[in-house]
Amino acid sequence: MPKRRRTEETDNGSDDVSTENVPSSPKSIHIGNQVERWTELKEELELENETEVAEFLLDRADSGQHLQGTKVFNDSVHGHIEMHPLLVSIIDTPEFQRLRFIKQMGMCYFVYPGASHNRFEHSLGVSYLAGKLARSLQSKQKSLKITKEDILCVEIAGLCHDLGHGPFSHLFDEAFLPKVRPDYIGKHEKLSVDMFEHMLKKNNLGEQFKKYNLEEEDILFIKEQIFVEKKVKALRTYTPREGTELPIIKDELLTILKGENQEGFLEVVDERGKKGMVSKEMVEVKALRTYTPREGTELPIIKDELLTILKGENQEGFLEVVDERGKKGMVSKEMVEVKALRTYTPREGTELPIIKDELLTILKGENQEGFLEVVDERKKKGMVSKEMVEEIWSYKGRGKDKSYLYEIVANKRNGIDVDKWDYFARDSMHLGIQNNFDWKRYLRFARVLHGPDGSQICTRDKEIFNLYDMFHSRYSLHLRACNHRVNKILEAMIVEALKEANDYLLFPGKDGKKKKMSESIDDMEAYSKLNDHIMWKILCTTKDKFKKSRDLINRILTRDLFVCVGQTQLKKKDSQLFYIKDEDTEKGIFEKLSEETKKTIKQSDIIVHGSQLFSIKDEDAEKEIFEKLSEETKKTIKQSNITVHGSQLFNIKEEDAEQEIFEKLSEEAKKTIKQSDIIVHIAKFNYGMGEKDPVEHVKFYSKCDLNKSVRISEIRQDSMALPREFSERFLRVCVKQRDTEVWVREAFQKWCKGKELTAKVWGE
């Protein structure tokens, strides 16, 4: 297919808008000649005055849209928004109209009476904001060469990004599907792409797309903005050396005993005298000084150049190496140092063997220890260190020069996108919660900067506070609404009702075949029949097989809810410091720990520092720990003897906690209560990237240089008020029957005491 010629942008962002009724600038508005038409527009759009009419017409002129075929929606959040004819064609399909019957906040409507808004209006709002941001970049930076087709694709992606939501929004794919399809790893984004493809085919929208100059690559671009499997490439073949790999600490010096083996591992000894294997990817060998030998076998070296070791130290204390120019030779171990590039603790039993250049699909992003959860080409899942892989460009709809366009609707880099802008504003308005984030201000300062990792949307350095307001809005909404304890109880009840009805509630799919709810995700024809009305469909049936589900829904409607007996905050573990003797080892220390402590601490979490001190992983810094020591202890221990090996959250699975709390029940209580009657939910509140600060992944610019990025560390120096912690977690315990809550509350308190957690209980 010949490459089509893209529509070039003009000074006002459009080349095909009639100026007969649309002024090109405020100065060209002649109200006297157009009073009748303006009056019609004012009445039709319910605008306040002529100024609003002018702004409306100018906005449409900037958008490059025809008046004929467009529709204007009076949105409760954004006011009057005009939609392109192609967007209208998508809106007027059964697949999109289905979103009118899916609550934006799911069961939260039963907690907040104002939370009655649906995915339909949210999708309109996201499409509108996507167009606003794209046009803002287009008008400010002509060099980006953003075309009308680019903008239209971004608007369509915003409109269709939630097509794949099931009944009660996130509840369906995050709570229901894991119960009935534990093997399913997809999310609503993948289902949105499936539904988008189904909608295009069923409604014959292909011709409509061609009419507006959109081709196959544009449709692919739209889908990629909604969902794409991000891939990384293995830098080398790697097989984990379980039981032999050495935990290392960033910047510590290691002594090489044997050079690189076939698997790419070196045998080393660390500063504490512990031997083990370490991947060559985790260390660097650097020349300490420039040196020109007089003998014929020694290799000339240059200070700070990196060397690759071929053979470990021989009897004379020489290493066989190759330099950056590919020249081999011998070098004295006194002339080089081997330094750990990063802190690394092997993930025994979970690391995935990889083959050089194979492509891996990311399932979960980087965790605290620097590992990614991936699946390889053979469909085997596991963990892989980020040091072993490199990210590749996974998109085909647009090139890397337009990578910033992928950040408008769903920003995978830092989470700043128009989807959040709309739901922050919309949810806050309907919930009656203050929203402090000003997206219009962000729009004003948004610019694209180019770098080696692609082009990305950046903002002014002074806007850092506005960004933290945005992420705090997310935190606040999740704390006060999405993860409200009554909302989570309601979700647990409706999930159980849907699970009980799953085998009996069937929907017609492709070729008329009936599908269960759990099967509908594989058949978009059946899935398009699912919305929040399934609750009433269950309630209205009189068949006995739906009795359990009906009873649960009736309990919701009569407010006979499951009971939350208490919660506890899962804080990071406190430091445990031990002064040890020379003969003690990690194994010996581990064996001295209590059985309760051994449940949460592995032997590999313990690091022995010679005859001084060991520390269990903790969030405290070395200096802070040292200052906590007694003056007597400080006489024998230096601060350099203390190593903090990352921070560690109190990790526990919900199902494990349910079992442990059940075991704390009295024998009398166990006669009445089953383990399945206890529900544990871990509520996570964060800024959108787990433990990480999302603003760390944002680039800023200053007014002194609009095209040079500024590091966040430079901005942080000017303020002590910026947040330092970005997440917290609470474990909540519920029981299904009110007459058993006393027993479960007591068991929960015992469980918390055993874990050294503080229990907050209700109903005493």
Side-chain angles (χ1 to χ4, degrees), residues 432-456:
I433 296 175
Q434 182 69 35
N435 174 33
N436 294 322
F437 175 66
D438 184 358
W439 65 264
K440 292 180 181 178
R441 182 176 174 85
Y442 182 89
L443 208 68
R444 208 171 272 277
F445 291 104
R447 285 184 61 81
V448 172
L449 293 187
H450 308 283
D453 54 346
S455 304
Q456 60 179 284

Side-chain angles (χ1 to χ4, degrees), residues 397-409:
R398 292 293 185 271
K400 204 168 183 179
D401 60 320
K402 288 193 173 182
S403 57
Y404 56 88
L405 291 175
Y406 288 97
E407 299 179 357
I408 293 176
V409 175

